[in-house]
Amino acid sequence: MHRIVLTLLACALLTTQAWSQGQPAAPAAQAPQIAATKVDGTDNVYTFRNQNSQSMFIVTSEGVIATDPVGYGRRQGGAAYLAEIRKVTDRPIRYLIYSHHHFDHIAGGQAFKEAGARVVAHTRAKERLTALNDPNTVLPDETFDKRRTITLGGTALELTYVGHNHSDSTLVMRLPKERIVFVVDLLPVGQVPGRGMIDFYPLEAEGSITQILAMDWDRLIPGHPGAGGRLGTKQDARDQLTFLQDASAAVRAEARLGKCWEPVETELKLPKYASWPNYAANLPFVLRRYCGLWGRGT
Ligand SMILES: [Zn+2]
């Protein structure tokens, strides 16, 4: 009986991961559903993971800067995240910053709003969220177009918009002192991107990644944990850029021979990346997006 229940729980977890991320791999099914973990080598920077989604929070002397509530499908989904923060500090929650407008990352922020957080996002995120009116997602209180630095209790968090890429509202969050960036979905760590390619901006994304590589940082907190929960490096960002460029070039050559959508979607392979997690499951999403670009002009 016990074993059956555990099996069902594991299946439910994997199913949820597959639905929300298109990336059914890591972390292991036996990992707890949620976890807050201090980032090694920092005094006050934490990751918060909910199943296979991840965000970052910083505890300062004047309060907490939180990001992405990761409470998909539940207006109060962020309450568990807030409870994890409360195990670390009872200081006020001052900010909740949205990485981009996708619901799998930013739904569930009501608990943060009730705790007094000011919700900050890119201008385009608010425009989209206003139009979509998702009952589970709190609208931003404050927006900006290009750059904003949050300064609180001795911590500076730089928010930079580097153009269209994984979405048209993605922010790069950088902690200059800690040399850490938090970038969601644009730079999966050592993984082939998946369903998120649906509204990906392939030409512009390469420029965005180049801009991120030019920033000063050593470690990348991704929006979905890398294999084993590891953080990313600049080499991971360079590898992701190379992967996208390789996929783009391969599809472009085939598209110009009239081979999109089929047979490219079913037959084209990128064997150089066959060892990356999610390669087989996610490659079709990548090929479809580049077929859209080179085969259709969109
Ligand atoms: Zn996304």
Side-chain angles (χ1 to χ4, degrees):
M1 179 64 185
H2 187 56
R3 180 174 297 173
I4 291 170
V5 170
L6 283 177
T7 304
L8 287 172
L9 282 171
C11 288
L13 181 57
L14 286 169
T15 302
T16 307
Q17 288 171 356
W19 165 249
S20 59
Q21 316 311 336
Q23 296 175 356
Q30 67 269 26
Q33 178 180 326
I34 62 170
T37 308
K38 190 149 102 172
V39 176
D40 287 345
T42 71
D43 297 327
N44 57 350
V45 181
Y46 294 79
T47 58
F48 172 78
R49 181 181 58 74
N50 184 344
Q51 293 186 356
N52 194 35
S53 294
Q54 183 167 258
S55 67
M56 171 183 81
F57 66 95
I58 308 117
V59 179
T60 82
S61 58
E62 294 177 18
V64 176
I65 306 169
T67 66
D68 292 359
V70 287
Y72 177 68
R74 294 168 296 140
R75 190 169 178 82
Q76 286 286 353
Y81 180 177
L82 190 56
E84 288 296 307
I85 295 176
R86 285 289 171 246
K87 291 178 185 174
V88 177
T89 181
D90 58 2
R91 291 174 194 153
I93 312 295
R94 299 287 301 276
Y95 294 98
L96 177 68
I97 302 163
Y98 289 166
S99 63
H100 64 309
H101 69 273
H102 291 165
F103 298 134
D104 59 325
H105 292 276
I106 66 161
Q110 182 62 27
F112 287 89
K113 184 75 182 163
E114 289 166 4
R118 184 167 180 77
V119 183
V120 179
H122 187 259
T123 304
R124 187 66 181 137
K126 184 169 185 179
E127 291 171 3
R128 286 191 174 278
L129 295 173
T130 301
L132 294 168
N133 196 29
D134 176 52
N136 301 314
T137 304
V138 176
L139 287 178
D141 299 305
E142 177 187 330
T143 62
F144 65 96
D145 289 327
K146 185 62 188 166
R147 198 166 278 120
R148 165 97 160 83
T149 298
I150 305 281
T151 305
L152 186 70
T155 289
L157 176 64
E158 291 179 3
L159 312 176
T160 307
Y161 181 68
V162 292
H164 292 40
N165 39 70
H166 165 78
S167 75
D168 60 2
S169 64
T170 302
L171 300 180
V172 175
M173 305 190 204
R174 189 175 78 97
L175 291 162
K177 190 175 70 179
E178 295 81 1
R179 301 181 61 82
I180 287 171
V181 288
F182 175 47
V183 185
V184 175
D185 290 347
L186 173 58
L187 293 170
V189 172
Q191 300 191 32
V192 175
R195 287 190 172 90
M197 294 300 288
I198 194 168
D199 60 344
F200 186 72
Y201 295 83
L203 294 176
E204 297 91 334
E206 294 181 18
S208 291
I209 297 173
T210 302
Q211 288 180 66
I212 295 169
L213 281 165
M215 295 176 177
D216 269 340
W217 57 274
D218 299 320
R219 289 187 289 174
L220 161 75
I221 298 175
H224 303 282
R230 77 176 177 92
L231 304 186
T233 63
K234 280 204 167 175
Q235 188 59 49
D236 288 307
R238 281 191 287 268
D239 289 347
Q240 187 66 210
L241 177 58
T242 304
F243 166 77
L244 294 170
Q245 290 169 332
D246 286 350
S248 183
V251 175
R252 182 178 58 208
E254 297 299 313
R256 288 178 176 172
L257 298 172
K259 296 187 177 176
C260 282
W261 311 93
E262 300 291 345
V264 163
E265 279 191 19
T266 50
E267 294 180 10
L268 186 64
K269 304 296 175 204
L270 298 170
K272 177 178 166 187
Y273 301 96
S275 65
W276 283 22
N278 308 314
Y279 169 81
N282 286 356
L283 187 63
F285 299 108
V286 176
L287 299 178
R288 175 163 292 190
R289 184 65 197 91
Y290 282 107
C291 260
L293 175 66
W294 298 117
R296 197 180 191 200
T298 56

